[in-house]
Amino acid sequence: MNIILLGPPGAGKGTQAQRLVDKHGMRQLSTGDMLRAAVKAGTPTGLEAKAVMERGELVSDAIVSALIGDELDAMGPDMGAIFDGYPRTEAQAESLDAILDARGRKLDHVIELEVNEDALVERITGRFTCATCGKGYHDTFEKPKAEGTCDKCGGHEFKRRPDDNAETVRTRMAEYRAKTAPILPVYEARGIVGKVDGMADMDEVTAAIEAILAPSS
Ligand code: ADP
Ligand code: ADP
Ligand code: ZN
């Protein structure tokens, strides 16, 4: 199974992708995570992407599509893929079709997380992750059960993204509206879009996604 999680920054894509990975053993392909790893490693891609990401603008289509192709090649052909934060432009959506086609894969579902933009700034500015295992948290909406200790791996170090500030979030939302939202009609025409209320509790969002992936169970 190959699915896309689509929604603006803070919609809950990463949160829901992690849950699908844990439950179904699928692989999360997050171009944001791949780019942050490239920045950290100081690769040519990372050097090119760093300032663009700090401004909240989009990195070039060629860079992110190459990252996605490489990740798919590194996974087993039978492992399901969750595209998180990709595609983000019409050109990327076209590239994804070609990338999947070349590997004998097909897109099964596009899950759109519908959210109220006003809530996103609070979600983004309160977001942090475990520095060891990457599990996502929020200052108000999902705190570790024991303060300072990761629920999943027991780690004690957490980190926040440099672009998770109120100012950059506005740019990222504008980029989403202008460049990413227009790819939805393409998928709608194929009849593969499932809409989910992203403002609901995390567990309800998960249940709604599961209902789309396995309507019979
Ligand atoms: P995205 O990957 O779409 O940018 P995240 O999954 O990282 O979004 O979620 C952004 C922040 O909001 C995180 O701190 C996460 O814990 C929190 N969050 C995610 N889903 C919900 C939800 N349904 N209700 C409240 N907070 C949420
Ligand atoms: P969020 O889901 O919170 O918007 P991501 O981690 O997906 O954040 O992306 C962080 C940043 O990385 C984006 O603002 C953008 O600069 C860059 N980026 C990630 N994915 C893409 C993509 N598919 N195309 C272009 N830029 C991307
Ligand atoms: Zn952890």
Side-chain angles (χ1 to χ4, degrees), residues 77-92:
D78 298 327
M79 180 166 267
I82 306 160
F83 298 98
D84 163 11
Y86 178 93
R88 258 176 155 95
T89 64
E90 284 170 309
Q92 290 178 26

Side-chain angles (χ1 to χ4, degrees), residues 75-154:
M75 40 194 269
D78 298 327
M79 180 166 267
I82 306 160
F83 298 98
D84 163 11
Y86 178 93
R88 258 176 155 95
T89 64
E90 284 170 309
Q92 290 178 26
E94 281 170 25
S95 293
L96 180 60
D97 283 341
I99 286 167
L100 291 175
D101 214 44
R103 291 162 180 79
R105 288 176 179 263
K106 86 172 212 313
L107 197 53
D108 299 285
H109 301 279
V110 176
I111 306 212
E112 184 196 3
L113 295 168
E114 294 184 300
V115 283
N116 174 350
E117 273 200 15
D118 298 337
L120 297 180
V121 173
E122 187 184 8
R123 283 208 191 165
I124 295 274
T125 52
R127 166 162 68 184
F128 63 97
T129 54
C130 171
T132 310
C133 74
K135 170 152 180 27
Y137 291 99
H138 190 280
D139 291 327
T140 310
F141 307 129
E142 197 183 14
K143 296 191 227 178
K145 291 189 182 75
E147 200 189 324
T149 304
C150 176
D151 299 349
K152 192 165 178 178
C153 77

